[in-house]
Amino acid sequence: MRKNLLGEYVVEPIDFANMIIEDFDKQVGIKFAPNPNRVKGFHYWNSSVFPRTDEYTQLIYCIYKDSEPVYVGLSKSKNGLYHRVGRFCCQLSGRTVKAGEHPGAKKYKKIYKEDYSNLYVKYAKIYNNQQHILLEDIEFEVIRILKPICNNQIYKKNWIEGHEARLKLS
């Protein structure tokens, strides 16, 4: 955290990102695998259920292959994590979904082919009452730190250019 001119601490996206990554490091994760025979396209093993969120809570999640970060995403809907993982798995198993293609899953298939072993998802709920911080900015910082191999580089480049433009305006 940095201090402003009045000596007050100011929370920034990087502060949230560091807390999220610390939380990821403490988690075992929810193990999952694509299963085209299931309605949502996957099954999971852990006894924990996928978290539900409300209008005050969003979450950032990271899909891991073994211990390597593969994809970082943001979810703002009630069943968000369940749907996001489902979309990822549907793309891996070649099923189409209404929401469209999952670019991270497409990249995953190019890199890992049909190897779906040891896939885990970890998540952190975000209670963001800082109006000056966008959730996308927090997501970007998590991506920047973890460097997941399946996040879209073009998206990152466009985001950086847009973020730099926003900083110049403020």
Side-chain angles (χ1 to χ4, degrees):
M1 272 188 264
R2 67 176 175 83
K3 287 186 178 181
N4 64 14
L5 295 173
L6 301 173
E8 303 164 327
Y9 285 102
V10 178
V11 179
E12 296 179 326
I14 188 71
D15 301 316
F16 275 102
N18 286 329
M19 287 186 289
I20 288 167
I21 292 166
E22 283 177 26
D23 194 25
F24 286 170
D25 290 343
K26 295 174 189 171
Q27 293 179 35
V28 175
I30 302 170
K31 187 175 181 181
F32 70 92
N35 183 344
N37 299 325
R38 296 267 177 120
V39 175
K40 284 293 177 190
F42 71 102
H43 61 272
Y44 55 94
W45 287 271
N46 299 46
S47 58
S48 60
V49 294
F50 281 85
R52 292 180 64 85
T53 57
D54 56 36
E55 67 263 22
Y56 305 108
T57 314
Q58 292 87 29
L59 53 86
I60 288 185
Y61 65 95
C62 184
I63 294 174
Y64 290 83
K65 167 95 172 109
D66 300 314
S67 61
E68 293 298 315
V70 172
Y71 183 81
V72 170
L74 172 65
S75 174
K76 297 181 182 179
S77 66
K78 252 197 240 185
N79 296 318
L81 184 60
Y82 186 75
H83 290 292
R84 300 288 180 172
V85 172
R87 198 167 141 226
F88 184 85
C89 289
C90 283
Q91 182 74 44
L92 291 180
S93 57
R95 291 176 48 197
T96 57
V97 291
K98 283 187 224 175
E101 296 181 337
H102 192 292
K106 286 176 77 172
K107 243 181 179 179
Y108 180 95
K109 274 191 97 154
K110 285 181 184 175
I111 297 167
Y112 293 106
K113 310 292 186 241
E114 301 290 322
D115 181 7
Y116 306 138
S117 62
N118 297 322
L119 286 171
Y120 293 86
V121 63
K122 297 180 180 183
Y123 65 90
K125 288 186 178 182
I126 299 175
Y127 305 93
N128 182 7
N129 59 358
Q130 307 288 325
Q131 273 71 27
H132 69 284
I133 297 178
L134 299 173
L135 292 169
E136 290 79 5
D137 292 345
I138 299 170
E139 176 191 21
F140 172 76
E141 290 296 339
V142 173
I143 291 169
R144 188 181 61 75
I145 294 167
L146 291 179
K147 296 175 181 57
I149 59 173
C150 294
N151 278 88
N152 190 342
Q153 296 300 324
I154 295 168
Y155 163 76
K156 285 192 232 177
K157 181 180 180 292
N158 291 342
W159 189 94
I160 290 168
E161 290 167 358
H163 184 67
E164 287 173 350
R166 281 197 305 264
L167 288 175
K168 287 178 186 173
L169 292 174
S170 54

